[in-house]
C-alpha cells in the first residue's frame, strides 16, 4: 500500500482534491488529525494559495469532557471538523484514510505548560517539545488517540513524534547555526533534564553534558582509563563515556513507554485498525521519528525517514527491516518536494533503492504541497515502479 500525505485544508473547500489524489495511483491518504504550526502552500485551492497556521491544532471536534489537564487547540483557519469533512470526501473517491497523528510536538501546549517540556542540561526549555516523562503528557497522547479512533474512525493510525522532541526544530526563524555545534552536540542538547528526567540520570550526567558541549577539558568521561574498546571519538557515546549505557536506557524508555501505552490502547479500542510508527533504529533519535532500537511487535508498519542521501536512508531502512516481526511491513517516507528534482526517473531510482533495502510501501510527502509538475512526477514514478 502506498500513501500520500495531506492536510485537511487541502481537501476542505476544494471539491477537485479527492479525484486529483485518487489519480496519483495511491491506495490511501495520510490525513493530518493533529499537526503543529506551519506555513503551507496550497497550489490548488480555489480560495487561497498560502495558509498560515499559527499554532498546533486538533482537526476533530474538541469535546471538553474527553480531555484532562492538556487540551489541544482548535483551528480557526479550517472548520472544527475539518478532518471529518476531508475524510468523507476522500473515502467517497475510493481512498482509505489513515489518521496522521503528531503527538509530543506542540508549541501551544508547551508554552502554556513549561513544567512539561523538554529542558536541556543547561535548563533551557524547548516549548515545542512535550516530554513524555510526565504522566500528563502520556495521558494527553492517550486521549488524543482515543478521540481519533472513536470520533475519526480512521482506516489506520499513524503515530508521529511518539517520543521526545530534541534540539533540532525547523520552526520560527532558526538562528543556531553560527554556534558551530556538531551533530554530537545536537544529540547532547537533545537530552532532557526536566524535573522528571533529571533525577533518573546518574548524578554527573548534566555536568558531563554541559562540559562536552562547551569543550571543557574534563568533559569526556572516557579520557581516563581509555582502552581499545573505548567508544569512537566524535560520537555521543564518546562524549558520555561510562554514563552511556544508563543514559541511553533511560532515553529509550521514554519512547517505549509512550509507544506501548498508545499501541495497547489502540488494540483495545480498535483491534483491527493498523498502526504505523514513524521510527528510527538509532537509540539517540529525537523528533518526528522516535527511537526504536529493538522493534515494536504491536505495530503493523515501521516507517523510516528517507529525506536525505538515498544510500544513507537505505541503510536506516535495512536496519528497521531487521527489527520487524513476521508479517510486519517497512515503509519509506519519501520526499517528493524540493530539493528533490521533479523528475520521475530520479524518483523511480529512489523508490527502487528503498524497495531493495526492505520497504514494501511508500509514504509520499507531500501531495498537498506539491506543484502540478511534482504530482505528475509522483504518478509516473509509481506507475513505473509497479
Amino acid at each position: 500500500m502506498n500513501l500520500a500525505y495531506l492536510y485537511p485544508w487541502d481537501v476542505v473547500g476544494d471539491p477537485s482534491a479527492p479525484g486529483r489524489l485518487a489519480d496519483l495511483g495511491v491506495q490511501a491518504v495520510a490525513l493530518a488529525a493533529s499537526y503543529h504550526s506551519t506555513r503551507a502552500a496550497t497550489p490548488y485551492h480555489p480560495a487561497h494559495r498560502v495558509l498560515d497556521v499559527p499554532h498546533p491544532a486538533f482537526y476533530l471536534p474538541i469535546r471538553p469532557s474527553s480531555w484532562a489537564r492538556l487540551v489541544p487547540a482548535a483551528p480557526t483557519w479550517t472548520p472544527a471538523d475539518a478532518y471529518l469533512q476531508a475524510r468523507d470526501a476522500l473515502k467517497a473517491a475510493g481512498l482509505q484514510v489513515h489518521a496522521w497523528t503528531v503527538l509530543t510536538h506542540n508549541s501551544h501546549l508547551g508554552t502554556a505548560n513549561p513544567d512539561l517540556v523538554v529542558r536541556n542540561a543547561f535548563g533551557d526549555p524547548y516549548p515545542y517539545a512535550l516530554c513524555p516523562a510526565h504522566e500528563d503528557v502520556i495521558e494527553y497522547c492517550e486521549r488524543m488517540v482515543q478521540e481519533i479512533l472513536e470520533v475519526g474512525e480512521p482506516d489506520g493510525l499513524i503515530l508521529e513524534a511518539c517520543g521526545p522532541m530534541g534540539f533540532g526544530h525547523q520552526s520560527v526563524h532558526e538562528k543556531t547555526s553560527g554556534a558551530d555545534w556538531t551533530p554530537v552536540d545536537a544529540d547532547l542538547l537533545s537530552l532532557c533534564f526536566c524535573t522528571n528526567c533529571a533525577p533518573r540520570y546518574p548524578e554527573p550526567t548534566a555536568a558531563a553534558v554541559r562540559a562536552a558541549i562547551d569543550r571543557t577539558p574534563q568533559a569526556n568521561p572516557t579520557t581516563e582509563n581509555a582502552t581499545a574498546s573505548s567508544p569512537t571519538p566524535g560520537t555521543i557515546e564518546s562524549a558520555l563515556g561510562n554514563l552511556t549505557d544508563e543514559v541511553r536506557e533511560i532515553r529509550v524508555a521514554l519512547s517505549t513507554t509512550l509507544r506501548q501505552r498508545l499501541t495497547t490502547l489502540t488494540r483495545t479500542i480498535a483491534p483491527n485498525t493498523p498502526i504505523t510508527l514513524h521510527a528510527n533504529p538509532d537509540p539517540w533519535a529525537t523528533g518526528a521519528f522516535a527511537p526504536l532500537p529493538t522493534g515494536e511487535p504491536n505495530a503493523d508498519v515501521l516507517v523510516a525517514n528517507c529525506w536525505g542521501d538515498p544510500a544513507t536512508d537505505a541503510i536506516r531502512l535495512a536496519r528497521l527491516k531487521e527489527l520487524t516481526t513476521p508479517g510486519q511491513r517497512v515503509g519509506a517516507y519519501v520526499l517528493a518536494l524540493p530539493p528533490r528534482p521533479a523528475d520521475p526517473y530520479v524518483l523511480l531510482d529512489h523508490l527502487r533503492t528503498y524497495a531493495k533495502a526492505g520497504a514494501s510501501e511508500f509514504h509520499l510527502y507531500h501531495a498537498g504541497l506539491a506543484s502540478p509538475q511534482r504530482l505528475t512526477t509522483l504518478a509516473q514514478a509509481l506507475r513505473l515502479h509497479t
Side-chain angles (χ1 to χ4, degrees), residues 181-205:
W181 283 320
T182 67
V184 173
D185 293 330
D187 285 341
L188 293 169
L189 285 166
S190 296
L191 296 177
C192 182
F193 291 86
C194 70
T195 54
N196 276 18
C197 284
R200 304 183 186 194
Y201 297 123
E203 190 278 329
T205 302

PDB file of all heavy atoms in Angstrom, residues 181-205:
ATOM      1  N   TRP A 181      27.796  24.053  16.399  1.00  0.00           N
ATOM      2  CA  TRP A 181      27.584  22.814  17.134  1.00  0.00           C
ATOM      3  C   TRP A 181      27.577  21.641  16.162  1.00  0.00           C
ATOM      4  O   TRP A 181      27.015  21.724  15.061  1.00  0.00           O
ATOM      5  CB  TRP A 181      26.261  22.871  17.896  1.00  0.00           C
ATOM      6  CG  TRP A 181      26.348  23.696  19.148  1.00  0.00           C
ATOM      7  CD1 TRP A 181      27.377  23.747  20.033  1.00  0.00           C
ATOM      8  CD2 TRP A 181      25.352  24.602  19.645  1.00  0.00           C
ATOM      9  NE1 TRP A 181      27.099  24.618  21.068  1.00  0.00           N
ATOM     10  CE2 TRP A 181      25.865  25.155  20.859  1.00  0.00           C
ATOM     11  CE3 TRP A 181      24.095  24.996  19.207  1.00  0.00           C
ATOM     12  CZ2 TRP A 181      25.144  26.067  21.612  1.00  0.00           C
ATOM     13  CZ3 TRP A 181      23.375  25.907  19.959  1.00  0.00           C
ATOM     14  CH2 TRP A 181      23.900  26.438  21.156  1.00  0.00           C
ATOM     15  N   THR A 182      28.194  20.573  16.558  1.00  0.00           N
ATOM     16  CA  THR A 182      28.290  19.376  15.727  1.00  0.00           C
ATOM     17  C   THR A 182      27.036  18.522  15.890  1.00  0.00           C
ATOM     18  O   THR A 182      26.213  18.767  16.786  1.00  0.00           O
ATOM     19  CB  THR A 182      29.506  18.549  16.154  1.00  0.00           C
ATOM     20  OG1 THR A 182      29.256  18.029  17.477  1.00  0.00           O
ATOM     21  CG2 THR A 182      30.778  19.392  16.158  1.00  0.00           C
ATOM     22  N   PRO A 183      26.862  17.486  15.067  1.00  0.00           N
ATOM     23  CA  PRO A 183      25.742  16.557  15.282  1.00  0.00           C
ATOM     24  C   PRO A 183      25.754  15.933  16.674  1.00  0.00           C
ATOM     25  O   PRO A 183      24.693  15.685  17.261  1.00  0.00           O
ATOM     26  CB  PRO A 183      25.946  15.512  14.184  1.00  0.00           C
ATOM     27  CG  PRO A 183      26.623  16.257  13.082  1.00  0.00           C
ATOM     28  CD  PRO A 183      27.550  17.223  13.786  1.00  0.00           C
ATOM     29  N   VAL A 184      26.940  15.678  17.222  1.00  0.00           N
ATOM     30  CA  VAL A 184      27.016  15.142  18.585  1.00  0.00           C
ATOM     31  C   VAL A 184      26.520  16.175  19.591  1.00  0.00           C
ATOM     32  O   VAL A 184      25.790  15.852  20.536  1.00  0.00           O
ATOM     33  CB  VAL A 184      28.455  14.696  18.924  1.00  0.00           C
ATOM     34  CG1 VAL A 184      28.568  14.303  20.399  1.00  0.00           C
ATOM     35  CG2 VAL A 184      28.861  13.529  18.036  1.00  0.00           C
ATOM     36  N   ASP A 185      26.896  17.440  19.391  1.00  0.00           N
ATOM     37  CA  ASP A 185      26.387  18.490  20.265  1.00  0.00           C
ATOM     38  C   ASP A 185      24.864  18.544  20.217  1.00  0.00           C
ATOM     39  O   ASP A 185      24.200  18.718  21.248  1.00  0.00           O
ATOM     40  CB  ASP A 185      26.949  19.859  19.844  1.00  0.00           C
ATOM     41  CG  ASP A 185      28.440  19.982  20.068  1.00  0.00           C
ATOM     42  OD1 ASP A 185      28.955  19.335  20.996  1.00  0.00           O
ATOM     43  OD2 ASP A 185      29.093  20.713  19.299  1.00  0.00           O
ATOM     44  N   ALA A 186      24.307  18.403  19.021  1.00  0.00           N
ATOM     45  CA  ALA A 186      22.847  18.419  18.887  1.00  0.00           C
ATOM     46  C   ALA A 186      22.221  17.256  19.653  1.00  0.00           C
ATOM     47  O   ALA A 186      21.168  17.407  20.292  1.00  0.00           O
ATOM     48  CB  ALA A 186      22.450  18.370  17.417  1.00  0.00           C
ATOM     49  N   ASP A 187      22.864  16.079  19.588  1.00  0.00           N
ATOM     50  CA  ASP A 187      22.360  14.940  20.360  1.00  0.00           C
ATOM     51  C   ASP A 187      22.414  15.232  21.864  1.00  0.00           C
ATOM     52  O   ASP A 187      21.482  14.916  22.607  1.00  0.00           O
ATOM     53  CB  ASP A 187      23.195  13.690  20.063  1.00  0.00           C
ATOM     54  CG  ASP A 187      22.877  13.078  18.702  1.00  0.00           C
ATOM     55  OD1 ASP A 187      21.804  13.385  18.158  1.00  0.00           O
ATOM     56  OD2 ASP A 187      23.700  12.296  18.209  1.00  0.00           O
ATOM     57  N   LEU A 188      23.509  15.826  22.296  1.00  0.00           N
ATOM     58  CA  LEU A 188      23.641  16.142  23.721  1.00  0.00           C
ATOM     59  C   LEU A 188      22.641  17.204  24.154  1.00  0.00           C
ATOM     60  O   LEU A 188      22.066  17.135  25.244  1.00  0.00           O
ATOM     61  CB  LEU A 188      25.069  16.612  24.014  1.00  0.00           C
ATOM     62  CG  LEU A 188      26.165  15.560  23.863  1.00  0.00           C
ATOM     63  CD1 LEU A 188      27.538  16.213  23.914  1.00  0.00           C
ATOM     64  CD2 LEU A 188      26.052  14.486  24.943  1.00  0.00           C
ATOM     65  N   LEU A 189      22.409  18.191  23.285  1.00  0.00           N
ATOM     66  CA  LEU A 189      21.438  19.227  23.586  1.00  0.00           C
ATOM     67  C   LEU A 189      20.003  18.708  23.528  1.00  0.00           C
ATOM     68  O   LEU A 189      19.069  19.394  23.949  1.00  0.00           O
ATOM     69  CB  LEU A 189      21.601  20.408  22.616  1.00  0.00           C
ATOM     70  CG  LEU A 189      22.806  21.316  22.875  1.00  0.00           C
ATOM     71  CD1 LEU A 189      23.055  22.216  21.673  1.00  0.00           C
ATOM     72  CD2 LEU A 189      22.589  22.160  24.130  1.00  0.00           C
ATOM     73  N   SER A 190      19.821  17.505  23.016  1.00  0.00           N
ATOM     74  CA  SER A 190      18.502  16.891  22.938  1.00  0.00           C
ATOM     75  C   SER A 190      18.167  16.062  24.168  1.00  0.00           C
ATOM     76  O   SER A 190      17.018  15.655  24.338  1.00  0.00           O
ATOM     77  CB  SER A 190      18.412  16.007  21.685  1.00  0.00           C
ATOM     78  OG  SER A 190      18.530  16.781  20.507  1.00  0.00           O
ATOM     79  N   LEU A 191      19.136  15.777  25.009  1.00  0.00           N
ATOM     80  CA  LEU A 191      18.865  15.029  26.236  1.00  0.00           C
ATOM     81  C   LEU A 191      18.046  15.895  27.183  1.00  0.00           C
ATOM     82  O   LEU A 191      18.368  17.052  27.416  1.00  0.00           O
ATOM     83  CB  LEU A 191      20.169  14.608  26.909  1.00  0.00           C
ATOM     84  CG  LEU A 191      21.050  13.631  26.128  1.00  0.00           C
ATOM     85  CD1 LEU A 191      22.350  13.369  26.889  1.00  0.00           C
ATOM     86  CD2 LEU A 191      20.315  12.319  25.870  1.00  0.00           C
ATOM     87  N   CYS A 192      16.976  15.337  27.725  1.00  0.00           N
ATOM     88  CA  CYS A 192      16.076  16.118  28.570  1.00  0.00           C
ATOM     89  C   CYS A 192      16.470  16.026  30.045  1.00  0.00           C
ATOM     90  O   CYS A 192      16.727  14.929  30.564  1.00  0.00           O
ATOM     91  CB  CYS A 192      14.638  15.633  28.398  1.00  0.00           C
ATOM     92  SG  CYS A 192      13.450  16.592  29.359  1.00  0.00           S
ATOM     93  N   PHE A 193      16.473  17.183  30.697  1.00  0.00           N
ATOM     94  CA  PHE A 193      16.754  17.265  32.135  1.00  0.00           C
ATOM     95  C   PHE A 193      15.618  18.018  32.833  1.00  0.00           C
ATOM     96  O   PHE A 193      15.856  18.835  33.723  1.00  0.00           O
ATOM     97  CB  PHE A 193      18.101  17.953  32.372  1.00  0.00           C
ATOM     98  CG  PHE A 193      19.267  17.126  31.924  1.00  0.00           C
ATOM     99  CD1 PHE A 193      19.695  17.168  30.606  1.00  0.00           C
ATOM    100  CD2 PHE A 193      19.921  16.276  32.809  1.00  0.00           C
ATOM    101  CE1 PHE A 193      20.772  16.397  30.174  1.00  0.00           C
ATOM    102  CE2 PHE A 193      20.997  15.501  32.386  1.00  0.00           C
ATOM    103  CZ  PHE A 193      21.415  15.557  31.078  1.00  0.00           C
ATOM    104  N   CYS A 194      14.380  17.743  32.429  1.00  0.00           N
ATOM    105  CA  CYS A 194      13.232  18.338  33.106  1.00  0.00           C
ATOM    106  C   CYS A 194      13.129  17.746  34.512  1.00  0.00           C
ATOM    107  O   CYS A 194      13.909  16.866  34.888  1.00  0.00           O
ATOM    108  CB  CYS A 194      11.945  18.099  32.318  1.00  0.00           C
ATOM    109  SG  CYS A 194      11.384  16.373  32.307  1.00  0.00           S
ATOM    110  N   THR A 195      12.170  18.199  35.281  1.00  0.00           N
ATOM    111  CA  THR A 195      12.075  17.769  36.679  1.00  0.00           C
ATOM    112  C   THR A 195      11.834  16.274  36.822  1.00  0.00           C
ATOM    113  O   THR A 195      12.165  15.690  37.856  1.00  0.00           O
ATOM    114  CB  THR A 195      10.955  18.530  37.397  1.00  0.00           C
ATOM    115  OG1 THR A 195       9.723  18.370  36.655  1.00  0.00           O
ATOM    116  CG2 THR A 195      11.292  20.001  37.517  1.00  0.00           C
ATOM    117  N   ASN A 196      11.270  15.655  35.802  1.00  0.00           N
ATOM    118  CA  ASN A 196      11.054  14.208  35.869  1.00  0.00           C
ATOM    119  C   ASN A 196      12.213  13.413  35.289  1.00  0.00           C
ATOM    120  O   ASN A 196      12.486  12.294  35.724  1.00  0.00           O
ATOM    121  CB  ASN A 196       9.756  13.823  35.150  1.00  0.00           C
ATOM    122  CG  ASN A 196       8.539  13.982  36.031  1.00  0.00           C
ATOM    123  OD1 ASN A 196       8.595  14.680  37.038  1.00  0.00           O
ATOM    124  ND2 ASN A 196       7.438  13.343  35.668  1.00  0.00           N
ATOM    125  N   CYS A 197      12.904  13.977  34.305  1.00  0.00           N
ATOM    126  CA  CYS A 197      14.011  13.251  33.668  1.00  0.00           C
ATOM    127  C   CYS A 197      15.312  13.359  34.470  1.00  0.00           C
ATOM    128  O   CYS A 197      16.035  12.374  34.624  1.00  0.00           O
ATOM    129  CB  CYS A 197      14.244  13.784  32.258  1.00  0.00           C
ATOM    130  SG  CYS A 197      13.029  13.239  31.045  1.00  0.00           S
ATOM    131  N   ALA A 198      15.633  14.555  34.947  1.00  0.00           N
ATOM    132  CA  ALA A 198      16.934  14.779  35.583  1.00  0.00           C
ATOM    133  C   ALA A 198      17.237  13.802  36.713  1.00  0.00           C
ATOM    134  O   ALA A 198      18.364  13.267  36.780  1.00  0.00           O
ATOM    135  CB  ALA A 198      17.018  16.223  36.083  1.00  0.00           C
ATOM    136  N   PRO A 199      16.292  13.497  37.620  1.00  0.00           N
ATOM    137  CA  PRO A 199      16.626  12.583  38.712  1.00  0.00           C
ATOM    138  C   PRO A 199      16.884  11.144  38.266  1.00  0.00           C
ATOM    139  O   PRO A 199      17.436  10.352  39.038  1.00  0.00           O
ATOM    140  CB  PRO A 199      15.379  12.644  39.614  1.00  0.00           C
ATOM    141  CG  PRO A 199      14.667  13.894  39.223  1.00  0.00           C
ATOM    142  CD  PRO A 199      14.955  14.075  37.773  1.00  0.00           C
ATOM    143  N   ARG A 200      16.537  10.816  37.058  1.00  0.00           N
ATOM    144  CA  ARG A 200      16.715   9.436  36.585  1.00  0.00           C
ATOM    145  C   ARG A 200      18.151   9.153  36.144  1.00  0.00           C
ATOM    146  O   ARG A 200      18.576   8.005  36.111  1.00  0.00           O
ATOM    147  CB  ARG A 200      15.758   9.151  35.419  1.00  0.00           C
ATOM    148  CG  ARG A 200      14.293   9.390  35.748  1.00  0.00           C
ATOM    149  CD  ARG A 200      13.402   9.026  34.582  1.00  0.00           C
ATOM    150  NE  ARG A 200      12.002   9.388  34.848  1.00  0.00           N
ATOM    151  CZ  ARG A 200      10.968   8.959  34.139  1.00  0.00           C
ATOM    152  NH1 ARG A 200      11.157   8.149  33.117  1.00  0.00           N
ATOM    153  NH2 ARG A 200       9.740   9.343  34.444  1.00  0.00           N
ATOM    154  N   TYR A 201      18.884  10.197  35.778  1.00  0.00           N
ATOM    155  CA  TYR A 201      20.241  10.014  35.280  1.00  0.00           C
ATOM    156  C   TYR A 201      21.234   9.873  36.438  1.00  0.00           C
ATOM    157  O   TYR A 201      21.001  10.369  37.544  1.00  0.00           O
ATOM    158  CB  TYR A 201      20.665  11.207  34.428  1.00  0.00           C
ATOM    159  CG  TYR A 201      19.859  11.429  33.181  1.00  0.00           C
ATOM    160  CD1 TYR A 201      19.221  12.644  32.957  1.00  0.00           C
ATOM    161  CD2 TYR A 201      19.752  10.439  32.208  1.00  0.00           C
ATOM    162  CE1 TYR A 201      18.493  12.872  31.802  1.00  0.00           C
ATOM    163  CE2 TYR A 201      19.021  10.653  31.048  1.00  0.00           C
ATOM    164  CZ  TYR A 201      18.392  11.866  30.851  1.00  0.00           C
ATOM    165  OH  TYR A 201      17.665  12.082  29.706  1.00  0.00           O
ATOM    166  N   PRO A 202      22.368   9.253  36.186  1.00  0.00           N
ATOM    167  CA  PRO A 202      23.452   9.280  37.179  1.00  0.00           C
ATOM    168  C   PRO A 202      23.828  10.724  37.496  1.00  0.00           C
ATOM    169  O   PRO A 202      23.782  11.602  36.625  1.00  0.00           O
ATOM    170  CB  PRO A 202      24.599   8.542  36.475  1.00  0.00           C
ATOM    171  CG  PRO A 202      23.940   7.720  35.415  1.00  0.00           C
ATOM    172  CD  PRO A 202      22.731   8.473  34.984  1.00  0.00           C
ATOM    173  N   GLU A 203      24.222  10.987  38.715  1.00  0.00           N
ATOM    174  CA  GLU A 203      24.429  12.351  39.215  1.00  0.00           C
ATOM    175  C   GLU A 203      25.308  13.231  38.317  1.00  0.00           C
ATOM    176  O   GLU A 203      24.983  14.397  38.096  1.00  0.00           O
ATOM    177  CB  GLU A 203      24.989  12.291  40.646  1.00  0.00           C
ATOM    178  CG  GLU A 203      25.019  13.638  41.363  1.00  0.00           C
ATOM    179  CD  GLU A 203      26.222  14.463  40.982  1.00  0.00           C
ATOM    180  OE1 GLU A 203      27.276  13.864  40.682  1.00  0.00           O
ATOM    181  OE2 GLU A 203      26.101  15.706  40.943  1.00  0.00           O
ATOM    182  N   PRO A 204      26.433  12.729  37.762  1.00  0.00           N
ATOM    183  CA  PRO A 204      27.282  13.656  36.998  1.00  0.00           C
ATOM    184  C   PRO A 204      26.844  13.881  35.558  1.00  0.00           C
ATOM    185  O   PRO A 204      27.541  14.571  34.814  1.00  0.00           O
ATOM    186  CB  PRO A 204      28.652  12.961  37.037  1.00  0.00           C
ATOM    187  CG  PRO A 204      28.323  11.501  37.115  1.00  0.00           C
ATOM    188  CD  PRO A 204      27.055  11.405  37.925  1.00  0.00           C
ATOM    189  N   THR A 205      25.695  13.335  35.121  1.00  0.00           N
ATOM    190  CA  THR A 205      25.340  13.389  33.700  1.00  0.00           C
ATOM    191  C   THR A 205      25.203  14.815  33.193  1.00  0.00           C
ATOM    192  O   THR A 205      25.763  15.182  32.152  1.00  0.00           O
ATOM    193  CB  THR A 205      24.035  12.614  33.438  1.00  0.00           C
ATOM    194  OG1 THR A 205      24.183  11.257  33.863  1.00  0.00           O
ATOM    195  CG2 THR A 205      23.689  12.632  31.949  1.00  0.00           C
TER     196      THR A 205
END
